[in-house]
């Protein structure tokens, strides 16, 4: 009897933009994976061993080990780089050294600055409050939309420079990451980007990619149960 389970397991939840980023990379490369649900705020003891910073996602490659720390990688960026090495086509990391550096910088910028403003500034104050039966933190979210995100959008707009992709003229880890992290805002609020036309076009194109749309749809199904309509933060 053959084992039909995929080698790759993503521990986490599609509500995490970093889980969706890893899923997006797998889908782009047509690599089978499954998501095993972990509540990161109350994880089982074994999960703490494989996630030293108590964060999702963690990847397990069952072809390496089915249990323990062996075969696991914490952090979405490390995970995506590992998947690229194991499944090189289509390449999501530019060959050219400078373009590679640019793509990795945009990935990091989205993972930190954009995730901080959009995730901690907007998604959490709204969704976490609603999930607990509390009033959504709309003042905090409106402040993040009005003050924290515009300078970040300015940077992304400038780096795109009217191009279709952030680096090397092709889809890369940078594009997938920006889209997945920005879509965290879309889960709970409208994301009007008219002031940043290049970013708006990029965002629309990325949202239309099945590899980005499919994990987002899984998150949306969960979020819409508690929040049927995203808020207008303007
Ligand atoms: N740099 C990490 C960030 C992961 C991260 O922050 N994940 C969030 C969920 S979106 C988390 O696990 N948060 C747990 C917590 O805040 O306690 C990565 O890219 O994987």
């Amino acid at each position: 009897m053959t084992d039909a389970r995929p080698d790759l397991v993503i521990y986490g939840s599609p509500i995490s933009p970093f889980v969706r980023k890893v899923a997006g990379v797998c889908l782009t490369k047509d690599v089978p994976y499954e998501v095993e649900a972990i509540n990161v705020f109350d994880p089982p003891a074994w999960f703490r061993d494989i996630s030293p910073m108590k964060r999702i996602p963690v990847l397990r490659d069952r072809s390496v080990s089915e249990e323990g720390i062996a075969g696991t990688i914490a952090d979405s960026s490390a995970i995506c780089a590992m998947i690229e090495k194991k499944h090189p086509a289509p390449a999501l990391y530019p060959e050219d050294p400078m373009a590679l550096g640019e793509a990795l910088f945009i990935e990091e910028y989205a993972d930190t600055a954009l995730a901080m403003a959009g995730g901690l500034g907007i998604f959490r104050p709204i969704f976490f409050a609603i999930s607990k039966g509390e009033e959504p933190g709309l003042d905090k979210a409106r402040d993040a939309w009005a003050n924290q995100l515009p300078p970040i959008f300015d940077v992304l707009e400038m780096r795109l420079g009217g191009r279709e992709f952030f680096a090397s003229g092709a889809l890369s880890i940078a594009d997938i990451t920006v889209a997945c992290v920005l879509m965290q805002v879309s889960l709970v609020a409208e994301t009007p980007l008219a002031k940043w036309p290049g970013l708006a076009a990029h965002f629309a194109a990325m949202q239309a990619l099945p590899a980005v749309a499919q994990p987002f749809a899984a998150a949306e199904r969960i979020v819409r149960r508690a929040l049927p309509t995203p808020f207008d933060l303007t």
Side-chain angles (χ1 to χ4, degrees):
M1 205 166 108
T2 55
D3 184 355
R5 297 178 313 161
D7 282 346
L8 299 188
V9 184
I10 306 172
Y11 296 115
S13 159
I15 292 187
S16 161
F18 307 107
V19 167
R20 298 199 301 274
K21 169 185 158 188
V22 174
V25 166
C26 289
L27 288 165
T28 304
K29 292 172 174 290
D30 210 10
V31 176
Y33 69 93
E34 64 187 30
V35 176
E36 186 172 321
I38 289 289
N39 175 1
V40 74
F41 300 107
D42 186 20
W46 61 264
F47 183 76
R48 289 171 186 265
D49 292 340
I50 62 171
S51 183
M53 291 184 283
K54 201 165 88 61
R55 297 263 189 276
I56 54 170
V58 172
L59 183 85
R60 174 174 297 284
D61 185 341
R62 287 182 175 129
S63 73
V64 177
S65 177
E66 297 251 354
E67 56 183 24
I69 296 169
T72 67
I73 304 171
D75 192 273
S76 66
S77 301
I79 294 167
C80 292
M82 173 273 196
I83 294 171
E84 173 84 2
K85 276 278 182 205
K86 195 168 177 182
H87 303 277
L92 287 175
Y93 293 76
E95 196 58 46
D96 174 76
M98 197 61 215
L100 173 65
E102 286 166 1
L104 294 178
F105 166 69
I106 293 294
E107 178 188 24
E108 176 62 12
Y109 190 62
D111 278 354
T112 52
L114 185 59
M116 192 80 81
L120 298 188
I122 295 178
F123 178 79
R124 286 193 182 202
I126 292 178
F127 185 68
F128 283 21
I130 287 177
S131 302
K132 286 188 276 182
E134 297 169 4
E135 284 300 308
L138 289 178
D139 288 347
K140 188 173 163 71
R142 289 203 163 103
D143 176 66
W145 181 261
N147 300 312
Q148 290 178 40
L149 280 164
I152 297 168
F153 292 159
D154 288 346
V155 169
L156 294 174
E157 180 78 7
M158 197 170 61
R159 298 279 169 149
L160 262 175
R163 294 172 305 166
E164 191 179 354
F165 302 108
F166 277 102
S168 75
L171 181 75
S172 78
I173 189 66
D175 306 294
I176 292 175
T177 306
V178 169
C180 290
V181 175
L182 186 48
M183 285 164 92
Q184 198 67 6
V185 177
S186 308
L187 283 173
V188 294
E190 291 167 16
T191 47
L193 294 173
K195 286 186 205 153
W196 301 274
L199 181 61
H202 179 270
F203 192 43
M206 291 303 118
Q207 284 174 299
L209 288 182
V212 171
Q214 193 178 307
F216 181 76
E220 232 186 354
R221 278 195 291 277
I222 300 169
V223 171
R224 290 287 162 268
R225 282 187 224 133
L227 177 66
T229 313
F231 287 102
D232 178 353
L233 300 178
T234 59

